[in-house]
Amino acid sequence: MTQQGAVLQGYNNELVKCIEDLCMQKEELNKQIQQAEEERNKLQHEIQVLSEQLECVCENLAQKVASRNELDKILAETEAAYMKILDSSRTLLNVLKKEVGSLKHIPELKTN
């Protein structure tokens, strides 16, 4: 019976050692899980901060694009109005030249 007790004691010692090894593995795994969760939380926070920054940049960009589009419209209207002024000036100049040319046919205005 003593021999059976010794065998049983050997099994018990091995079983206790296996349980201790499993507990140590569990503790190590818990540390790794905790580190991974901390890293995940850190990255989620960074994503949130970057998302907020991206939203601000997008809003700012949209405002600038809208301002540029408005300036493009104003410039196009101004250039069109300026072209009308140039056309009117050219027409006025042509009319004036024609009138001055017809005045030269009047005898009193001819110079000797």
Side-chain angles (χ1 to χ4, degrees):
M1 185 82 100
T2 333
Q3 186 177 9
Q4 290 173 341
V7 170
L8 185 59
Q9 184 62 38
Y11 291 156
N12 187 48
N13 288 342
E14 274 190 65
L15 184 59
V16 168
K17 172 107 172 82
C18 285
I19 291 173
E20 287 174 351
D21 287 346
L22 289 173
C23 286
M24 287 175 42
Q25 288 178 5
K26 179 184 172 189
E27 282 182 36
E28 180 61 31
L29 192 56
N30 279 339
K31 286 179 186 177
Q32 292 174 1
I33 289 170
Q34 184 178 1
Q35 289 173 345
E37 287 174 340
E38 288 172 0
E39 181 69 14
R40 179 195 63 201
N41 291 340
K42 176 185 168 192
L43 291 172
Q44 284 177 332
H45 176 70
E46 290 176 8
I47 288 171
Q48 181 181 358
V49 168
L50 289 173
S51 293
E52 290 170 2
Q53 289 176 349
L54 178 61
E55 185 178 336
C56 288
V57 167
C58 287
E59 288 175 8
N60 190 325
L61 178 61
Q63 290 173 351
K64 287 181 179 182
V65 167
S67 293
R68 183 190 61 194
N69 291 342
E70 185 64 24
L71 285 174
D72 284 344
K73 179 182 171 187
I74 291 169
L75 279 169
E77 291 171 355
T78 302
E79 287 174 352
Y82 183 68
M83 293 306 290
K84 286 181 181 179
I85 291 171
L86 286 178
D87 190 43
S88 295
S89 294
R90 183 177 49 244
T91 302
L92 178 60
L93 180 60
N94 289 337
V95 168
L96 184 60
K97 283 180 180 180
K98 188 176 182 182
E99 291 296 321
V100 167
S102 68
L103 287 178
K104 288 183 180 179
H105 293 98
I106 301 174
E108 304 88 42
L109 294 178
K110 287 186 179 179
T111 56
N112 292 336

